[in-house]
Every structure is written in structure tokens, then in C-alpha cells.
Amino acid sequence: MKSRRMQDLTVLELKNYLASSQHKTIIIPYALSEQHGYHLPLDVDIRNCDFCAAKLAEEIDCLIAPTLNYTFSGGMLTGTINVKPNTFSNLVGEIIESLALQGFDNFIILPGHGGSESMLHLKESLRIQKWLNPMLKDKMIIMLPIWDFSPTWTELFKTRDYHAALAETSLLLHWCPEVVRKDMIQTDVEEVAERLRSDPDSYQLRESFTELSQEVVQTSQRDDVVVGVMGYPEQASAELGAKIEAEFISNASAALRKAIADADDARKSGKRIIHDNGAALKILNEL
């Protein structure tokens, strides 16, 4: 196949792929334009998912849907384009329904951005979508964060290295070093930088009128966050980026091959894994 990117194919080539493919699998990458300090471009997250999707598609022999370049960050620094999580989740759901009608069976959602609000909202939204749409019952949807399949990246979280820092800077030094401005590396004043390393969500200012846990809080970005780097980008290297990429491709492709085979067997046999419903009175834990 000349290209794994769905957008590069003609309608006839796509029809032939769906007719001949043993497993009708497609990767749906998503990310957004977001500040990544003074040393990295706004499209870091987009590059994260695009480079990884290209390598992964070759490994598991599948296609890549056009990258969705808008989601929710929550940050408010210049260059960040926010889309509300419900808008984003509805769009991904409709993309999956459209691709499912065309014959795809397995959907690998590849986030280039790690925002917890968008990821949690998307996963729950898709669960409910499968609940309400019988057409999706035999379709497998997998959320595949890059960091979940790279032990090195996971360990960096434990060292308080998060956004626009060691991992992301290293990946771009590996993929496209020409866009990294190492001489422009800068963090916020030390007190703020230390707070962001200790709690990456501490860029948020949350305010309320009362102490009631039931009140919906007002959220904005703290005025003291100017750069927004959360970690240690000055330690980055292309070698570390290559290691993170290799771990992801090896571990994710092995996991996906097994998942796709298991899903194919389950579709034929009708067997499913039944999950425990958990606490009976969930309403007591919701607020």
C-alpha cells in the first residue's frame, strides 16, 4: 500500500482495502494547538500523534484517519485553541459511526494530548454511545495514550516531568530537531515552576461562593503562569525520544495485535468478558 493515510487513498483503493483486509482497523489520532513553552511549537501534540500513528499503522497493518486537530486543553495562554469536551466527544463519536458504516470494525483512538478532562469525557461518552447504538455492539474502540505503553515516559511522570518538558522535547529532537529552539528553553519563576511540577493541574484557579461540594466551581488560569512548562526540558535528547518511541511501538503493537485477534474470536463465538458493576449505590460516590 502506497500510503497508510486514509486521506491519500482514492475511493476505489479504500473499497479494495476494506474488501481484502483481514482486520478492518483504523487509527484515529487527535490533538490540538497548545502552548508548549518558548522552545517548542504549538503543534507538539499533533506531531506526537501523527508520528506515532504512522509507525504504528505500519506495524499492525492498518489505516490512519485524518488527524483531528482540536480538543480541550484548559490552558489559556496565547496559541491554545480549546474545544469543549462534549463538543469534541460528540465529534469523535460521529466520526466512528461514519467509519463503522463503511465497514471498519476496530477503532484505535490515539491521543497526542494528555488532558484528563478530554480523555475522561471521551471515554465515557463513547461508552454511552455504544450503549445506545446497537450498530456499535460488535465494534471495538480502544483509547491508546502513548505514555501508557512507554515505561520510560511513565517513569518521567514520577519524577515530576510533564508538559513541554523532558519527554516531549526529546521526542521532537528525535523526529524533527529543526523545530526545537533549545536556546529558548525557559520556565516560570521557580516558585511557580515547582508548583507546576508538583501538581500539573495547579495552573488552574478554582473559585466558589460556598464550601458545598455540590457547587460547580469557577475555573480559570492562574495569572502567575506565564510560560507553562512543567518539568525539565533542558535535559532532553534525541536518544531519549527514540527510546520512548521504540517502547511505544513495540508494546502498543503487541497489545493491539492480541486485542484485534481476541475481538475477532469474540465476534465469531459471541462470548464477551462480563465486568462487575461495582458499588451498587453509585449515587453515594458521585458528588
mmCIF file of all heavy atoms in Angstrom, residues 145-194:
data_model
loop_
_atom_site.group_PDB
_atom_site.id
_atom_site.type_symbol
_atom_site.label_atom_id
_atom_site.label_comp_id
_atom_site.label_asym_id
_atom_site.label_seq_id
_atom_site.Cartn_x
_atom_site.Cartn_y
_atom_site.Cartn_z
ATOM 1 N N PRO A 145 -3.251 5.958 24.799
ATOM 2 C CA PRO A 145 -2.281 7.019 25.104
ATOM 3 C C PRO A 145 -0.856 6.517 24.913
ATOM 4 O O PRO A 145 -0.523 5.401 25.339
ATOM 5 C CB PRO A 145 -2.558 7.338 26.579
ATOM 6 C CG PRO A 145 -3.952 6.832 26.831
ATOM 7 C CD PRO A 145 -4.108 5.628 25.954
ATOM 8 N N ILE A 146 -0.015 7.319 24.306
ATOM 9 C CA ILE A 146 1.362 6.915 24.014
ATOM 10 C C ILE A 146 2.096 6.551 25.302
ATOM 11 O O ILE A 146 2.796 5.529 25.382
ATOM 12 C CB ILE A 146 2.103 8.055 23.278
ATOM 13 C CG1 ILE A 146 1.379 8.399 21.972
ATOM 14 C CG2 ILE A 146 3.547 7.685 22.987
ATOM 15 C CD1 ILE A 146 1.815 9.723 21.346
ATOM 16 N N TRP A 147 1.953 7.393 26.332
ATOM 17 C CA TRP A 147 2.709 7.216 27.581
ATOM 18 C C TRP A 147 2.349 5.928 28.306
ATOM 19 O O TRP A 147 3.174 5.381 29.032
ATOM 20 C CB TRP A 147 2.499 8.439 28.478
ATOM 21 C CG TRP A 147 1.067 8.915 28.481
ATOM 22 C CD1 TRP A 147 0.075 8.546 29.343
ATOM 23 C CD2 TRP A 147 0.480 9.819 27.537
ATOM 24 N NE1 TRP A 147 -1.107 9.166 28.999
ATOM 25 C CE2 TRP A 147 -0.890 9.955 27.892
ATOM 26 C CE3 TRP A 147 0.965 10.529 26.438
ATOM 27 C CZ2 TRP A 147 -1.779 10.770 27.180
ATOM 28 C CZ3 TRP A 147 0.092 11.338 25.723
ATOM 29 C CH2 TRP A 147 -1.263 11.464 26.094
ATOM 30 N N ASP A 148 1.142 5.416 28.100
ATOM 31 C CA ASP A 148 0.757 4.171 28.765
ATOM 32 C C ASP A 148 1.611 2.994 28.309
ATOM 33 O O ASP A 148 1.711 1.985 29.024
ATOM 34 C CB ASP A 148 -0.713 3.839 28.472
ATOM 35 C CG ASP A 148 -1.676 4.607 29.354
ATOM 36 O OD1 ASP A 148 -1.209 5.423 30.175
ATOM 37 O OD2 ASP A 148 -2.896 4.406 29.215
ATOM 38 N N PHE A 149 2.213 3.088 27.132
ATOM 39 C CA PHE A 149 2.964 1.969 26.563
ATOM 40 C C PHE A 149 4.456 2.252 26.503
ATOM 41 O O PHE A 149 5.199 1.520 25.861
ATOM 42 C CB PHE A 149 2.405 1.629 25.175
ATOM 43 C CG PHE A 149 1.010 1.081 25.237
ATOM 44 C CD1 PHE A 149 -0.083 1.936 25.248
ATOM 45 C CD2 PHE A 149 0.787 -0.278 25.342
ATOM 46 C CE1 PHE A 149 -1.380 1.438 25.339
ATOM 47 C CE2 PHE A 149 -0.501 -0.783 25.444
ATOM 48 C CZ PHE A 149 -1.595 0.070 25.439
ATOM 49 N N SER A 150 4.899 3.293 27.177
ATOM 50 C CA SER A 150 6.326 3.591 27.292
ATOM 51 C C SER A 150 6.692 3.674 28.772
ATOM 52 O O SER A 150 6.406 4.682 29.425
ATOM 53 C CB SER A 150 6.674 4.913 26.609
ATOM 54 O OG SER A 150 7.995 5.315 26.950
ATOM 55 N N PRO A 151 7.320 2.631 29.311
ATOM 56 C CA PRO A 151 7.730 2.683 30.727
ATOM 57 C C PRO A 151 8.622 3.887 31.031
ATOM 58 O O PRO A 151 8.546 4.455 32.126
ATOM 59 C CB PRO A 151 8.484 1.365 30.916
ATOM 60 C CG PRO A 151 7.934 0.452 29.869
ATOM 61 C CD PRO A 151 7.618 1.325 28.689
ATOM 62 N N THR A 152 9.441 4.266 30.066
ATOM 63 C CA THR A 152 10.329 5.417 30.292
ATOM 64 C C THR A 152 9.528 6.686 30.508
ATOM 65 O O THR A 152 9.812 7.476 31.428
ATOM 66 C CB THR A 152 11.278 5.591 29.094
ATOM 67 O OG1 THR A 152 12.120 4.435 28.991
ATOM 68 C CG2 THR A 152 12.138 6.835 29.255
ATOM 69 N N TRP A 153 8.516 6.905 29.672
ATOM 70 C CA TRP A 153 7.692 8.105 29.823
ATOM 71 C C TRP A 153 6.917 8.050 31.143
ATOM 72 O O TRP A 153 6.810 9.048 31.864
ATOM 73 C CB TRP A 153 6.740 8.249 28.630
ATOM 74 C CG TRP A 153 6.181 9.643 28.475
ATOM 75 C CD1 TRP A 153 6.111 10.619 29.419
ATOM 76 C CD2 TRP A 153 5.623 10.219 27.286
ATOM 77 N NE1 TRP A 153 5.535 11.773 28.907
ATOM 78 C CE2 TRP A 153 5.243 11.553 27.604
ATOM 79 C CE3 TRP A 153 5.401 9.741 26.004
ATOM 80 C CZ2 TRP A 153 4.638 12.398 26.666
ATOM 81 C CZ3 TRP A 153 4.812 10.587 25.076
ATOM 82 C CH2 TRP A 153 4.431 11.904 25.400
ATOM 83 N N THR A 154 6.373 6.891 31.482
ATOM 84 C CA THR A 154 5.643 6.751 32.738
ATOM 85 C C THR A 154 6.534 7.082 33.934
ATOM 86 O O THR A 154 6.097 7.740 34.893
ATOM 87 C CB THR A 154 5.079 5.335 32.882
ATOM 88 O OG1 THR A 154 4.246 5.039 31.765
ATOM 89 C CG2 THR A 154 4.251 5.199 34.150
ATOM 90 N N GLU A 155 7.787 6.623 33.887
ATOM 91 C CA GLU A 155 8.718 6.911 34.977
ATOM 92 C C GLU A 155 8.999 8.408 35.087
ATOM 93 O O GLU A 155 9.200 8.927 36.187
ATOM 94 C CB GLU A 155 10.027 6.145 34.780
ATOM 95 C CG GLU A 155 9.940 4.671 35.142
ATOM 96 C CD GLU A 155 9.570 4.449 36.603
ATOM 97 O OE1 GLU A 155 10.193 5.093 37.483
ATOM 98 O OE2 GLU A 155 8.654 3.651 36.867
ATOM 99 N N LEU A 156 8.995 9.102 33.942
ATOM 100 C CA LEU A 156 9.228 10.551 33.977
ATOM 101 C C LEU A 156 8.115 11.273 34.727
ATOM 102 O O LEU A 156 8.356 12.284 35.391
ATOM 103 C CB LEU A 156 9.359 11.100 32.555
ATOM 104 C CG LEU A 156 10.628 10.698 31.806
ATOM 105 C CD1 LEU A 156 10.621 11.282 30.401
ATOM 106 C CD2 LEU A 156 11.864 11.151 32.559
ATOM 107 N N PHE A 157 6.880 10.771 34.623
ATOM 108 C CA PHE A 157 5.788 11.366 35.401
ATOM 109 C C PHE A 157 6.120 11.296 36.900
ATOM 110 O O PHE A 157 5.837 12.223 37.655
ATOM 111 C CB PHE A 157 4.469 10.637 35.147
ATOM 112 C CG PHE A 157 3.899 10.860 33.766
ATOM 113 C CD1 PHE A 157 3.133 9.877 33.160
ATOM 114 C CD2 PHE A 157 4.105 12.042 33.088
ATOM 115 C CE1 PHE A 157 2.589 10.073 31.903
ATOM 116 C CE2 PHE A 157 3.579 12.249 31.825
ATOM 117 C CZ PHE A 157 2.808 11.269 31.231
ATOM 118 N N LYS A 158 6.717 10.198 37.313
ATOM 119 C CA LYS A 158 7.036 10.012 38.728
ATOM 120 C C LYS A 158 8.135 10.970 39.193
ATOM 121 O O LYS A 158 8.266 11.240 40.388
ATOM 122 C CB LYS A 158 7.458 8.567 38.989
ATOM 123 C CG LYS A 158 6.360 7.547 38.715
ATOM 124 C CD LYS A 158 6.862 6.132 38.936
ATOM 125 C CE LYS A 158 5.797 5.098 38.599
ATOM 126 N NZ LYS A 158 6.283 3.712 38.775
ATOM 127 N N THR A 159 8.932 11.466 38.235
ATOM 128 C CA THR A 159 9.971 12.434 38.585
ATOM 129 C C THR A 159 9.479 13.871 38.415
ATOM 130 O O THR A 159 10.282 14.804 38.399
ATOM 131 C CB THR A 159 11.236 12.228 37.733
ATOM 132 O OG1 THR A 159 10.933 12.533 36.355
ATOM 133 C CG2 THR A 159 11.738 10.806 37.843
ATOM 134 N N ARG A 160 8.150 14.020 38.234
ATOM 135 C CA ARG A 160 7.502 15.332 38.129
ATOM 136 C C ARG A 160 7.851 16.025 36.816
ATOM 137 O O ARG A 160 8.055 17.230 36.771
ATOM 138 C CB ARG A 160 7.860 16.224 39.317
ATOM 139 C CG ARG A 160 7.619 15.571 40.670
ATOM 140 C CD ARG A 160 7.761 16.547 41.801
ATOM 141 N NE ARG A 160 9.047 17.273 41.716
ATOM 142 C CZ ARG A 160 9.276 18.444 42.303
ATOM 143 N NH1 ARG A 160 8.324 19.030 43.005
ATOM 144 N NH2 ARG A 160 10.445 19.040 42.195
ATOM 145 N N ASP A 161 7.905 15.251 35.740
ATOM 146 C CA ASP A 161 8.184 15.800 34.423
ATOM 147 C C ASP A 161 6.958 15.581 33.549
ATOM 148 O O ASP A 161 6.605 14.450 33.235
ATOM 149 C CB ASP A 161 9.406 15.111 33.813
ATOM 150 C CG ASP A 161 9.984 15.903 32.649
ATOM 151 O OD1 ASP A 161 10.840 16.756 32.880
ATOM 152 O OD2 ASP A 161 9.556 15.655 31.506
ATOM 153 N N TYR A 162 6.320 16.671 33.124
ATOM 154 C CA TYR A 162 5.045 16.551 32.433
ATOM 155 C C TYR A 162 5.047 17.317 31.108
ATOM 156 O O TYR A 162 5.661 16.899 30.140
ATOM 157 C CB TYR A 162 3.909 17.064 33.334
ATOM 158 C CG TYR A 162 3.784 16.336 34.642
ATOM 159 C CD1 TYR A 162 4.302 16.891 35.825
ATOM 160 C CD2 TYR A 162 3.154 15.096 34.719
ATOM 161 C CE1 TYR A 162 4.181 16.214 37.032
ATOM 162 C CE2 TYR A 162 3.034 14.414 35.926
ATOM 163 C CZ TYR A 162 3.553 14.983 37.079
ATOM 164 O OH TYR A 162 3.449 14.325 38.270
ATOM 165 N N HIS A 163 4.389 18.444 31.089
ATOM 166 C CA HIS A 163 4.073 19.164 29.857
ATOM 167 C C HIS A 163 5.243 19.977 29.313
ATOM 168 O O HIS A 163 5.896 20.712 30.059
ATOM 169 C CB HIS A 163 2.878 20.087 30.143
ATOM 170 C CG HIS A 163 2.485 20.974 29.020
ATOM 171 N ND1 HIS A 163 1.796 20.525 27.919
ATOM 172 C CD2 HIS A 163 2.681 22.297 28.823
ATOM 173 C CE1 HIS A 163 1.579 21.528 27.096
ATOM 174 N NE2 HIS A 163 2.119 22.625 27.629
ATOM 175 N N ALA A 164 5.514 19.825 27.993
ATOM 176 C CA ALA A 164 6.545 20.608 27.296
ATOM 177 C C ALA A 164 7.914 20.430 27.928
ATOM 178 O O ALA A 164 8.748 21.340 27.870
ATOM 179 C CB ALA A 164 6.160 22.090 27.271
ATOM 180 N N ALA A 165 8.146 19.262 28.500
ATOM 181 C CA ALA A 165 9.367 19.068 29.261
ATOM 182 C C ALA A 165 10.260 17.987 28.648
ATOM 183 O O ALA A 165 10.433 17.943 27.432
ATOM 184 C CB ALA A 165 9.007 18.762 30.717
ATOM 185 N N LEU A 166 10.817 17.124 29.463
ATOM 186 C CA LEU A 166 11.845 16.189 29.010
ATOM 187 C C LEU A 166 11.345 15.250 27.921
ATOM 188 O O LEU A 166 11.990 15.076 26.875
ATOM 189 C CB LEU A 166 12.377 15.402 30.210
ATOM 190 C CG LEU A 166 13.470 14.378 29.955
ATOM 191 C CD1 LEU A 166 14.619 14.983 29.173
ATOM 192 C CD2 LEU A 166 13.972 13.827 31.287
ATOM 193 N N ALA A 167 10.182 14.615 28.130
ATOM 194 C CA ALA A 167 9.685 13.632 27.161
ATOM 195 C C ALA A 167 9.323 14.280 25.832
ATOM 196 O O ALA A 167 9.786 13.850 24.761
ATOM 197 C CB ALA A 167 8.479 12.892 27.737
ATOM 198 N N GLU A 168 8.500 15.319 25.875
ATOM 199 C CA GLU A 168 8.035 15.918 24.624
ATOM 200 C C GLU A 168 9.172 16.606 23.867
ATOM 201 O O GLU A 168 9.235 16.535 22.628
ATOM 202 C CB GLU A 168 6.887 16.892 24.903
ATOM 203 C CG GLU A 168 5.617 16.187 25.316
ATOM 204 C CD GLU A 168 4.417 17.114 25.390
ATOM 205 O OE1 GLU A 168 4.532 18.197 26.005
ATOM 206 O OE2 GLU A 168 3.372 16.755 24.833
ATOM 207 N N THR A 169 10.063 17.257 24.578
ATOM 208 C CA THR A 169 11.196 17.891 23.915
ATOM 209 C C THR A 169 12.099 16.834 23.276
ATOM 210 O O THR A 169 12.586 17.007 22.152
ATOM 211 C CB THR A 169 11.995 18.750 24.909
ATOM 212 O OG1 THR A 169 11.113 19.687 25.535
ATOM 213 C CG2 THR A 169 13.109 19.509 24.214
ATOM 214 N N SER A 170 12.298 15.723 23.979
ATOM 215 C CA SER A 170 13.129 14.643 23.429
ATOM 216 C C SER A 170 12.495 14.023 22.188
ATOM 217 O O SER A 170 13.193 13.704 21.213
ATOM 218 C CB SER A 170 13.350 13.567 24.496
ATOM 219 O OG SER A 170 14.120 14.058 25.572
ATOM 220 N N LEU A 171 11.192 13.832 22.208
ATOM 221 C CA LEU A 171 10.521 13.261 21.036
ATOM 222 C C LEU A 171 10.693 14.152 19.808
ATOM 223 O O LEU A 171 10.968 13.674 18.702
ATOM 224 C CB LEU A 171 9.034 13.044 21.339
ATOM 225 C CG LEU A 171 8.705 11.834 22.210
ATOM 226 C CD1 LEU A 171 7.245 11.870 22.655
ATOM 227 C CD2 LEU A 171 8.992 10.527 21.461
ATOM 228 N N LEU A 172 10.555 15.461 20.006
ATOM 229 C CA LEU A 172 10.717 16.350 18.859
ATOM 230 C C LEU A 172 12.177 16.446 18.414
ATOM 231 O O LEU A 172 12.454 16.599 17.218
ATOM 232 C CB LEU A 172 10.138 17.729 19.162
ATOM 233 C CG LEU A 172 8.706 17.906 18.611
ATOM 234 C CD1 LEU A 172 7.741 16.958 19.270
ATOM 235 C CD2 LEU A 172 8.241 19.334 18.724
ATOM 236 N N LEU A 173 13.120 16.326 19.339
ATOM 237 C CA LEU A 173 14.528 16.277 18.942
ATOM 238 C C LEU A 173 14.801 15.035 18.099
ATOM 239 O O LEU A 173 15.664 15.053 17.213
ATOM 240 C CB LEU A 173 15.425 16.284 20.183
ATOM 241 C CG LEU A 173 15.578 17.623 20.905
ATOM 242 C CD1 LEU A 173 16.326 17.430 22.219
ATOM 243 C CD2 LEU A 173 16.304 18.639 20.026
ATOM 244 N N HIS A 174 14.072 13.972 18.373
ATOM 245 C CA HIS A 174 14.204 12.724 17.602
ATOM 246 C C HIS A 174 13.524 12.843 16.241
ATOM 247 O O HIS A 174 14.099 12.473 15.213
ATOM 248 C CB HIS A 174 13.611 11.569 18.405
ATOM 249 C CG HIS A 174 13.425 10.301 17.636
ATOM 250 N ND1 HIS A 174 14.448 9.702 16.917
ATOM 251 C CD2 HIS A 174 12.323 9.509 17.467
ATOM 252 C CE1 HIS A 174 13.990 8.594 16.348
ATOM 253 N NE2 HIS A 174 12.709 8.465 16.655
ATOM 254 N N TRP A 175 12.303 13.373 16.207
ATOM 255 C CA TRP A 175 11.515 13.409 14.977
ATOM 256 C C TRP A 175 11.860 14.584 14.071
ATOM 257 O O TRP A 175 11.981 14.434 12.862
ATOM 258 C CB TRP A 175 10.023 13.486 15.323
ATOM 259 C CG TRP A 175 9.433 12.252 15.899
ATOM 260 C CD1 TRP A 175 9.749 10.960 15.604
ATOM 261 C CD2 TRP A 175 8.392 12.183 16.886
ATOM 262 N NE1 TRP A 175 8.985 10.082 16.340
ATOM 263 C CE2 TRP A 175 8.141 10.819 17.139
ATOM 264 C CE3 TRP A 175 7.653 13.141 17.575
ATOM 265 C CZ2 TRP A 175 7.165 10.391 18.043
ATOM 266 C CZ3 TRP A 175 6.696 12.715 18.482
ATOM 267 C CH2 TRP A 175 6.459 11.363 18.713
ATOM 268 N N CYS A 176 11.969 15.750 14.641
ATOM 269 C CA CYS A 176 12.116 16.969 13.829
ATOM 270 C C CYS A 176 12.904 18.006 14.624
ATOM 271 O O CYS A 176 12.332 19.000 15.085
ATOM 272 C CB CYS A 176 10.741 17.509 13.430
ATOM 273 S SG CYS A 176 9.514 17.503 14.778
ATOM 274 N N PRO A 177 14.202 17.801 14.800
ATOM 275 C CA PRO A 177 15.011 18.691 15.648
ATOM 276 C C PRO A 177 15.022 20.140 15.181
ATOM 277 O O PRO A 177 15.283 21.044 15.980
ATOM 278 C CB PRO A 177 16.411 18.066 15.554
ATOM 279 C CG PRO A 177 16.399 17.227 14.312
ATOM 280 C CD PRO A 177 14.997 16.711 14.197
ATOM 281 N N GLU A 178 14.689 20.352 13.893
ATOM 282 C CA GLU A 178 14.736 21.711 13.363
ATOM 283 C C GLU A 178 13.702 22.644 13.992
ATOM 284 O O GLU A 178 13.826 23.874 13.910
ATOM 285 C CB GLU A 178 14.556 21.690 11.837
ATOM 286 C CG GLU A 178 13.176 21.296 11.341
ATOM 287 C CD GLU A 178 12.920 19.794 11.299
ATOM 288 O OE1 GLU A 178 13.829 19.025 11.710
ATOM 289 O OE2 GLU A 178 11.826 19.390 10.860
ATOM 290 N N VAL A 179 12.667 22.075 14.650
ATOM 291 C CA VAL A 179 11.624 22.929 15.237
ATOM 292 C C VAL A 179 11.866 23.214 16.721
ATOM 293 O O VAL A 179 11.120 23.978 17.334
ATOM 294 C CB VAL A 179 10.212 22.320 15.047
ATOM 295 C CG1 VAL A 179 9.946 22.013 13.586
ATOM 296 C CG2 VAL A 179 10.013 21.066 15.903
ATOM 297 N N VAL A 180 12.889 22.594 17.300
ATOM 298 C CA VAL A 180 13.175 22.781 18.728
ATOM 299 C C VAL A 180 14.142 23.949 18.913
ATOM 300 O O VAL A 180 15.222 23.977 18.329
ATOM 301 C CB VAL A 180 13.774 21.505 19.342
ATOM 302 C CG1 VAL A 180 14.063 21.721 20.834
ATOM 303 C CG2 VAL A 180 12.821 20.326 19.152
ATOM 304 N N ARG A 181 13.749 24.928 19.717
ATOM 305 C CA ARG A 181 14.595 26.094 20.000
ATOM 306 C C ARG A 181 15.256 25.904 21.374
ATOM 307 O O ARG A 181 14.805 26.454 22.380
ATOM 308 C CB ARG A 181 13.781 27.381 20.024
ATOM 309 C CG ARG A 181 13.168 27.814 18.685
ATOM 310 C CD ARG A 181 11.895 27.091 18.358
ATOM 311 N NE ARG A 181 11.058 27.866 17.421
ATOM 312 C CZ ARG A 181 9.966 27.384 16.843
ATOM 313 N NH1 ARG A 181 9.565 26.141 17.084
ATOM 314 N NH2 ARG A 181 9.266 28.143 16.026
ATOM 315 N N LYS A 182 16.299 25.096 21.441
ATOM 316 C CA LYS A 182 16.908 24.775 22.738
ATOM 317 C C LYS A 182 17.433 26.018 23.448
ATOM 318 O O LYS A 182 17.461 26.073 24.684
ATOM 319 C CB LYS A 182 18.033 23.754 22.550
ATOM 320 C CG LYS A 182 17.549 22.367 22.140
ATOM 321 C CD LYS A 182 18.613 21.307 22.319
ATOM 322 C CE LYS A 182 18.791 20.956 23.780
ATOM 323 N NZ LYS A 182 19.670 19.775 23.979
ATOM 324 N N ASP A 183 17.837 27.015 22.673
ATOM 325 C CA ASP A 183 18.344 28.241 23.292
ATOM 326 C C ASP A 183 17.235 29.095 23.886
ATOM 327 O O ASP A 183 17.506 30.096 24.566
ATOM 328 C CB ASP A 183 19.143 29.066 22.279
ATOM 329 C CG ASP A 183 18.296 29.476 21.071
ATOM 330 O OD1 ASP A 183 17.345 28.740 20.732
ATOM 331 O OD2 ASP A 183 18.600 30.522 20.474
ATOM 332 N N MET A 184 15.976 28.702 23.645
ATOM 333 C CA MET A 184 14.839 29.462 24.162
ATOM 334 C C MET A 184 14.182 28.777 25.365
ATOM 335 O O MET A 184 13.139 29.203 25.826
ATOM 336 C CB MET A 184 13.795 29.654 23.062
ATOM 337 C CG MET A 184 14.258 30.502 21.893
ATOM 338 S SD MET A 184 14.431 32.233 22.359
ATOM 339 C CE MET A 184 12.704 32.693 22.599
ATOM 340 N N ILE A 185 14.769 27.690 25.848
ATOM 341 C CA ILE A 185 14.171 26.977 26.986
ATOM 342 C C ILE A 185 14.066 27.916 28.192
ATOM 343 O O ILE A 185 15.043 28.553 28.594
ATOM 344 C CB ILE A 185 14.999 25.734 27.357
ATOM 345 C CG1 ILE A 185 14.841 24.652 26.284
ATOM 346 C CG2 ILE A 185 14.568 25.185 28.718
ATOM 347 C CD1 ILE A 185 15.680 23.414 26.526
ATOM 348 N N GLN A 186 12.867 27.983 28.738
ATOM 349 C CA GLN A 186 12.615 28.845 29.892
ATOM 350 C C GLN A 186 11.441 28.272 30.671
ATOM 351 O O GLN A 186 10.526 27.672 30.100
ATOM 352 C CB GLN A 186 12.288 30.277 29.429
ATOM 353 C CG GLN A 186 12.106 31.271 30.549
ATOM 354 C CD GLN A 186 11.939 32.698 30.033
ATOM 355 O OE1 GLN A 186 12.513 33.055 29.009
ATOM 356 N NE2 GLN A 186 11.157 33.494 30.737
ATOM 357 N N THR A 187 11.469 28.416 31.975
ATOM 358 C CA THR A 187 10.345 28.014 32.821
ATOM 359 C C THR A 187 9.807 29.254 33.532
ATOM 360 O O THR A 187 10.381 30.344 33.444
ATOM 361 C CB THR A 187 10.775 26.964 33.859
ATOM 362 O OG1 THR A 187 11.780 27.526 34.703
ATOM 363 C CG2 THR A 187 11.308 25.708 33.178
ATOM 364 N N ASP A 188 8.705 29.065 34.219
ATOM 365 C CA ASP A 188 8.170 30.153 35.034
ATOM 366 C C ASP A 188 9.102 30.412 36.216
ATOM 367 O O ASP A 188 10.052 29.651 36.456
ATOM 368 C CB ASP A 188 6.765 29.792 35.526
ATOM 369 C CG ASP A 188 5.736 29.849 34.416
ATOM 370 O OD1 ASP A 188 5.431 30.966 33.959
ATOM 371 O OD2 ASP A 188 5.255 28.788 33.970
ATOM 372 N N VAL A 189 8.846 31.472 36.967
ATOM 373 C CA VAL A 189 9.663 31.737 38.148
ATOM 374 C C VAL A 189 9.667 30.497 39.025
ATOM 375 O O VAL A 189 8.704 29.717 39.030
ATOM 376 C CB VAL A 189 9.137 32.966 38.929
ATOM 377 C CG1 VAL A 189 9.245 34.208 38.071
ATOM 378 C CG2 VAL A 189 7.695 32.750 39.391
ATOM 379 N N GLU A 190 10.737 30.265 39.759
ATOM 380 C CA GLU A 190 10.967 28.976 40.406
ATOM 381 C C GLU A 190 9.801 28.519 41.287
ATOM 382 O O GLU A 190 9.437 27.348 41.293
ATOM 383 C CB GLU A 190 12.258 29.014 41.224
ATOM 384 C CG GLU A 190 12.642 27.663 41.821
ATOM 385 C CD GLU A 190 12.710 26.536 40.794
ATOM 386 O OE1 GLU A 190 13.045 26.805 39.617
ATOM 387 O OE2 GLU A 190 12.403 25.382 41.160
ATOM 388 N N GLU A 191 9.215 29.433 42.020
ATOM 389 C CA GLU A 191 8.092 29.051 42.898
ATOM 390 C C GLU A 191 6.937 28.478 42.081
ATOM 391 O O GLU A 191 6.342 27.459 42.452
ATOM 392 C CB GLU A 191 7.619 30.261 43.693
ATOM 393 C CG GLU A 191 6.440 29.959 44.607
ATOM 394 C CD GLU A 191 5.931 31.203 45.326
ATOM 395 O OE1 GLU A 191 6.584 32.266 45.239
ATOM 396 O OE2 GLU A 191 4.870 31.118 45.966
ATOM 397 N N VAL A 192 6.614 29.108 40.953
ATOM 398 C CA VAL A 192 5.525 28.637 40.101
ATOM 399 C C VAL A 192 5.931 27.356 39.390
ATOM 400 O O VAL A 192 5.153 26.398 39.301
ATOM 401 C CB VAL A 192 5.142 29.728 39.073
ATOM 402 C CG1 VAL A 192 4.080 29.212 38.105
ATOM 403 C CG2 VAL A 192 4.658 30.970 39.798
ATOM 404 N N ALA A 193 7.151 27.319 38.862
ATOM 405 C CA ALA A 193 7.633 26.120 38.168
ATOM 406 C C ALA A 193 7.605 24.912 39.090
ATOM 407 O O ALA A 193 7.219 23.801 38.680
ATOM 408 C CB ALA A 193 9.045 26.352 37.640
ATOM 409 N N GLU A 194 8.001 25.091 40.349
ATOM 410 C CA GLU A 194 7.996 23.989 41.314
ATOM 411 C C GLU A 194 6.572 23.530 41.603
ATOM 412 O O GLU A 194 6.310 22.328 41.729
ATOM 413 C CB GLU A 194 8.687 24.441 42.601
ATOM 414 C CG GLU A 194 8.801 23.367 43.666
ATOM 415 C CD GLU A 194 9.682 22.203 43.259
ATOM 416 O OE1 GLU A 194 10.438 22.318 42.275
ATOM 417 O OE2 GLU A 194 9.586 21.145 43.930
#
